[in-house]
Each structure stands twice: as C-alpha cells, then as structure tokens.
Amino acid sequence: MSDEQSSHSASSRPPRQTRTGTTSTGARKAGSKSNRSRAREFALQGLYQHIVGHNAVLDIDRFTRDLAGFHKADSAHYDALLRGCVEAEQELDTLIAPKLDRTISEISPIEHACMWIGVYEFQHCPDVPWRVVLNECIELAKEFGGTDGHKYVNAVLNGLAPQLRSKEVEHDRAGKPSRAAAESQPAQDDQADQAPQA
C-alpha cells in the first residue's frame, strides 16, 4: 500500500470518539468523581487492608488519611463505611453468603469489600438511592478488581437490594421514582442519574 493510499484510508475513518469523564480503560477520571465516590475508594482500600492483612482500623485510618487526594473525599462518609463495615462484618457476611456460589473466603478481597460497602449503604445510607449504591460498587469493582469481578458484585447486590431496600426497589421496578431518588435528582452528590451496569 502506498503512502498516499494509507493516508487516504486513515483520513476517511471517522474521528475517534472520546468518552468524557472516563479513562481509556473505562474507569472514571479523578476529576469526574464526587466526594462520596472518592470516600468509597479510600474505604475500599482500607477494607482491603482489613480483609487481607487483618490490620486494625486505627492503623488503616491513619495510613489512609495520609494518602494523596484524601482531602477531596467526604471524610464523614469514609469514616462511616470503614468503621461501619468492620464493626458489622459478620452481619454483612451473613447477608452476602446466601447470594454466593462459593464460600466468602473464595471471593476476591476487592469484591468482598465492594459487597460490604454496598450492603452497608443499603442498610445505613437511605439518602443514597439504591441504584446509585449499586452503580458505585460496580464502578469500584471495575476500577480495582479483576476482569469480571464487577459482574459478580452486580449480581450479589442486585439480589440483596429487594430485601434491604424493598419499598424503593418496588417503586422503581413499578416505574415510579422512589422518594429518595426524586429528592436527590438535582443536588445528589453521587450522580443519581447513573443506571446500574448489567
């Protein structure tokens, strides 16, 4: 192929489309993340240390607060997630285990921590719509987990949502927006307009 032909074929292709707010791997760029999304990322890192290294919460907290970018996170939400998940780990695992096709010890620590965050938020953060909780946990698993780990997180949390957020899920599935979702539309910190990944 001559230089003229190759330059012509290259110029006849449509320009490459860029996805705003994401990197080339599909992960969200740091600048497009909310303070709560950042808090979840730091909580995920802390929970990973707890699951893998059995580190004490105070040590995890001291270490995490010194990480670059922590000042941009919602520290109150981070505290609630880290401490809440560690304190309730047995209760969270009791809810998660029946939805698994393997034992808890066989799932990746990243997936495990993402599920903890999702279940904890379903139970203790009614201001965050269930679909946002689901989407945020899927995004965490995509960004930090294995290739298809996000699909597993999605399946488990989608299975628990009707149990833990029954009224909200029923309203959404009936085509009626839930009260929490309706109240959060314009000012929701967690990008309430995002739909869960399938």
Side-chain angles (χ1 to χ4, degrees), residues 4-196:
E4 186 177 304
Q5 286 176 324
S6 65
S7 67
H8 175 69
S9 64
S11 65
S12 65
R13 285 188 224 149
R16 186 172 182 181
Q17 299 293 318
T18 58
R19 294 175 60 193
T20 58
T22 60
T23 65
S24 61
T25 63
R28 289 176 291 174
K29 290 182 185 175
S32 68
K33 294 178 184 175
S34 73
N35 294 344
R36 279 198 176 170
S37 292
R38 293 172 196 271
R40 288 182 189 95
E41 287 182 1
F42 287 112
L44 176 69
Q45 292 173 52
L47 292 170
Y48 180 88
Q49 290 178 46
H50 176 73
I51 292 167
V52 173
H54 306 288
N55 299 0
V57 173
L58 284 175
D59 295 335
I60 293 168
D61 188 49
R62 281 189 205 111
F63 174 80
T64 304
R65 286 178 183 276
D66 283 339
L67 294 174
F70 185 83
H71 67 283
K72 294 180 181 177
D74 178 338
S75 61
H77 199 65
Y78 157 79
D79 283 335
L81 292 176
L82 177 64
R83 294 170 194 279
C85 288
V86 170
E87 288 169 11
E89 65 181 278
Q90 294 300 322
E91 178 189 339
L92 298 174
D93 283 347
T94 299
L95 288 166
I96 292 167
K99 302 294 181 191
L100 301 177
D101 61 355
R102 59 194 87 159
T103 65
I104 294 252
S105 62
E106 293 176 306
I107 62 173
S108 110
I110 293 292
E111 292 167 14
H112 193 177
C114 289
M115 290 175 198
W116 274 1
I117 289 170
V119 173
Y120 183 86
E121 285 196 277
F122 281 159
Q123 291 182 309
H124 301 284
C125 303
D127 60 314
V128 183
W130 78 275
R131 289 185 180 276
V132 173
V133 172
L134 181 62
N135 191 60
E136 289 285 317
C137 292
I138 291 167
E139 290 298 323
L140 284 173
K142 279 183 181 178
E143 192 165 348
F144 296 99
T147 304
D148 286 330
H150 68 282
K151 294 177 183 175
Y152 201 52
V153 170
N154 183 19
V156 170
L157 294 180
N158 248 320
L160 287 169
Q163 176 184 340
L164 302 174
R165 293 278 189 99
S166 57
K167 290 182 181 178
E168 190 179 350
V169 172
E170 284 172 25
H171 279 17
D172 284 358
R173 292 192 175 157
K176 303 171 192 167
S178 69
R179 196 181 95 227
E183 290 172 358
S184 67
Q185 281 302 322
Q188 179 63 37
D189 183 49
D190 287 306
Q191 305 162 352
D193 56 338
Q194 293 179 354

